């Protein structure tokens, strides 16, 4: 479809962009960093050993066993797009159009899709812990979170580093669930940022589904809620249970004199990425979702 651009009538150094939150999942990037240099596949060793048995003073040690297997991480998602801004369109918007378009593209499209893909990948993984799907109220949300913590504790998932991701639509529900007393504070903030040592990140509901569909760009771009997917209430994640990889994320910019296709600024962006759940650590992820409609 053709570009829709309104020319500037008077210079006003303000760009009316679209509101979009920053990346929610990037705080878990540093947990594990497999090296995909030169390949799209990495194999991770999985080791299991038998436990203790009775030592015999006559026969010595009981014979244990060791199992070594290889878990394969294979990058699968290659996404990209190309945007043209005609030289005159850019000039007649006082040189602001190209910078505004490329900046909004990253913030409005790339970051939300990456978050949504990762959450959906984790939520649909085999072996994770799941609650019975239910809508949460002020009376049930805290017990539900406590149960998630108990489930990870029971699976002997280390407490250090866990992160609680909550659907931002549940902010008022969570606030109502907690009884607080306020004095003569000049400012009141009842938004919970930490619960019993768990840092909380609030996720926009548009990025928080159990499955998404990535549009091909042949007619539709971006992503949408997957068929049969449920909205997520919250996820409790141990970052050591997952691996987030962005092997290639490169914007390419060509000015009109370099662009051989037409007389326009050309922006190309390509991203090669994936997210994985480590088989032996899947119990470090807990999902609480809403019932499917």
């Amino acid at each position: 479809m053709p570009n829709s651009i309104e020319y500037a009538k008077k210079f006003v150094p303000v760009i009316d962009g679209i509101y979009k939150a920053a990346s929610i999942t990037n705080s878990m990037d540093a947990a594990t960093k497999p090296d995909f240099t030169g390949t799209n596949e990495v194999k991770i060793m999985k080791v299991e050993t038998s436990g203790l048995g009775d030592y015999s003073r006559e026969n010595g040690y009981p014979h244990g066993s060791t199992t070594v297997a290889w878990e394969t991480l294979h990058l699968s998602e290659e996404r990209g797009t190309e945007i043209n801004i005609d030289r005159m369109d850019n000039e007649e918007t006082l040189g602001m159009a190209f910078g505004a378009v490329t900046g909004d593209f990253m913030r409005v499209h790339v970051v939300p899709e990456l978050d949504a893909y990762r959450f959906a990948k984790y939520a649909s993984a085999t072996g994770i812990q799941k609650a019975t799907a239910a809508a949460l109220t002020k009376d049930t949300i805290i017990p539900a979170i406590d149960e998630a913590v108990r489930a990870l504790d029971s699976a002997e998932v280390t407490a250090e580093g866990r992160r609680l991701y909550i659907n931002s639509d549940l902010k008022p529900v969570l606030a109502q669930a907690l009884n607080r007393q306020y004095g003569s504070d000049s400012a009141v903030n009842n938004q919970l940022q930490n619960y019993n040592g768990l840092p909380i990140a609030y996720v926009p509901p548009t990025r928080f589904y159990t499955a998404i569909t990535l549009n091909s760009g042949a007619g539709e771009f971006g992503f949408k809620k997957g068929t049969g997917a449920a909205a997520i209430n919250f996820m409790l994640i141990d970052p050591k249970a997952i691996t987030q990889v962005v092997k290639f994320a490169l914007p390419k910019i060509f000015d009109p004199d370099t662009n051989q296709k037409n007389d326009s600024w050309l922006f190309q962006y390509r991203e090669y990425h994936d997210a994985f759940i480590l088989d032996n650590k899947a119990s470090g992820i807990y999902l609480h979702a809403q019932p499917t409609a």
Side-chain angles (χ1 to χ4, degrees), residues 25 27 53 64 138 143 205 219 269:
T25 58
S27 61
K138 66 181 180 63
Y269 182 81

Side-chain angles (χ1 to χ4, degrees), residues 34-228:
D35 185 5
F36 279 82
T37 302
T39 180
N40 70 338
E41 184 177 286
V42 165
K43 292 186 179 294
I44 294 178
M45 182 182 289
K46 299 193 301 181
V47 179
E48 295 184 27
T49 58
S50 55
L52 295 173
D54 289 336
Y55 178 83
S56 169
R57 295 194 179 191
E58 180 180 350
N59 299 316
Y61 298 94
H63 293 289
S65 63
T66 300
T67 301
V68 177
W70 293 93
E71 181 178 349
T72 301
L73 307 182
H74 185 94
L75 291 173
S76 63
E77 297 306 322
E78 289 196 71
R79 305 283 286 164
T81 198
E82 179 178 278
I83 298 172
N84 283 278
I85 300 292
D86 183 86
R87 185 199 294 263
M88 290 297 101
D89 288 339
N90 191 61
E91 191 272 334
E92 289 170 346
T93 54
L94 304 169
M96 296 173 68
F98 185 71
V101 166
T102 55
D104 267 17
F105 167 76
M106 299 296 294
R107 181 173 51 84
V108 174
H109 299 291
V110 175
V111 168
E113 179 178 306
L114 192 62
D115 282 343
Y117 175 82
R118 288 170 171 176
F119 284 126
K121 188 77 176 281
Y122 305 150
S124 60
T126 301
I128 69 169
Q129 304 196 68
K130 298 180 182 180
T132 301
L136 292 177
T137 68
K138 66 181 180 63
D139 298 317
T140 60
I141 189 168
I142 293 299
I145 293 172
D146 288 342
E147 172 57 24
V149 173
R150 185 211 61 78
L152 262 65
D153 288 345
S154 181
E156 301 191 35
V157 177
T158 55
E160 183 180 0
R162 295 178 189 176
R163 296 178 181 276
L164 182 58
Y165 294 92
I166 299 178
N167 192 314
S168 61
D169 280 351
L170 291 174
K171 280 184 183 180
V173 177
L174 192 56
Q176 292 167 18
L178 299 170
N179 294 321
R180 305 184 191 179
Q181 302 221 346
Y182 301 101
S184 58
D185 299 337
S186 59
V188 173
N189 181 0
N190 69 347
Q191 181 174 305
L192 196 64
Q193 300 293 338
N194 186 293
Y195 178 70
N196 289 341
L198 285 172
I200 295 175
Y202 293 99
V203 185
T206 52
R207 306 183 196 183
F208 221 23
Y209 298 115
T210 56
I212 64 168
T213 297
L214 296 175
N215 297 319
S216 67
E220 281 189 276
F221 289 82
F223 71 95
K224 58 187 176 183
K225 178 182 178 182
T227 303

Side-chain angles (χ1 to χ4, degrees), residues 251-292:
K252 296 166 68 178
I253 297 173
F254 303 91
D255 63 36
D257 294 328
T258 306
N259 182 6
Q260 299 300 303
K261 291 184 179 181
N262 45 46
D263 190 30
S264 66
W265 287 86
L266 175 64
F267 173 80
Q268 296 175 328
Y269 182 81
R270 180 183 177 191
E271 186 168 67
Y272 190 20
H273 73 94
D274 215 327
F276 307 95
I277 300 87
L278 302 179
D279 291 346
N280 286 347
K281 294 183 172 63
S283 59
I285 297 176
Y286 187 97
L287 168 70
H288 195 297
Q290 297 178 22
T292 54

